């Protein structure tokens, strides 16, 4: 099964949108590097629609105690309800618990023109 769920020009880097695939809600994300990723649109905590959250960055500790760097701008999907964060460039892995990941969907991009293409989910 495969389905066109969006076009590449629907999303700028750092943006996301909801879609539907195989009867299930999915969130299509465009990372800061322009790559597309698709995940379940249900947070594993209590089922919030992740597409209503934010694509942002997150602080990471440095070697200096108490000092953090803000990194991964546009690549961290933050849940709208309680703020759990998932790295879309690391298979949707949760930042606070790296053993938990979002369900990720296979995706391909079919170029239609220089500026646009189809985003296709498949299984
Ligand atoms: S429902 Fe997503 S963090 Fe609670």
């Amino acid at each position: 099964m495969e389905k066109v769920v969006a076009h590449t020009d629907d999303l700028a880097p750092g943006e996301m949108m909801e879609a539907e695939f195989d009867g299930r809600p999915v969130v299509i994300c465009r990372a800061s590097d322009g790559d597309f990723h698709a995940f379940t649109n249900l947070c594993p905590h209590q089922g919030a629609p992740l597409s209503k959250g934010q694509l942002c960055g997150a602080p990471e500790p440095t070697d200096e105690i108490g000092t953090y760097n803000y990194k991964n701008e546009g690549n961290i999907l933050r849940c709208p309800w309680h703020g759990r964060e998932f790295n879309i460039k690391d298979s949707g892995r949760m930042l606070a618990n790296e053993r938990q990941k979002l369900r990720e969907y296979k995706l391909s991009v079919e170029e239609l023109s220089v500026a646009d293409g189809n985003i296709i989910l498949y299984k």
Side-chain angles (χ1 to χ4, degrees):
M1 173 184 186
E2 63 180 50
K3 177 182 178 184
V4 175
V5 292
H7 293 107
T8 55
D9 63 357
D10 290 338
L11 294 171
E15 292 182 347
M16 60 183 165
M17 61 181 284
E18 59 185 74
E20 177 273 331
F21 180 69
D22 198 21
R24 297 173 191 268
V26 297
V27 56
I28 312 297
C29 305
R30 190 164 194 182
S32 59
D33 63 4
D35 285 348
F36 295 91
H37 302 271
F39 301 97
T40 177
N41 196 21
L42 298 171
C43 179
H45 180 224
Q46 291 183 349
L50 293 167
S51 60
K52 304 292 186 205
Q54 289 182 293
L55 272 182
C56 53
E60 286 187 5
T62 67
D63 291 339
E64 200 173 318
I65 295 172
T67 304
Y68 295 83
N69 286 332
Y70 190 76
K71 294 178 119 178
N72 287 314
E73 180 64 41
N75 296 332
I76 304 299
L77 175 50
R78 182 176 295 150
C79 178
W81 286 1
H82 312 105
R84 281 173 172 75
E85 296 171 319
F86 306 90
N87 188 340
I88 66 171
K89 297 301 292 181
D90 187 17
S91 305
R93 195 173 307 279
M94 186 186 291
L95 297 190
N97 180 355
E98 63 183 29
R99 289 183 300 186
Q100 280 200 355
K101 294 193 308 185
L102 298 174
R103 177 180 179 186
E104 187 169 17
Y105 287 86
K106 295 178 195 166
L107 173 155
S108 66
V109 174
E110 173 188 52
E111 285 192 28
L112 300 175
S113 69
V114 173
D116 195 16
N118 287 329
I119 301 171
I120 302 169
L121 295 190
Y122 62 97
K123 68 176 189 178

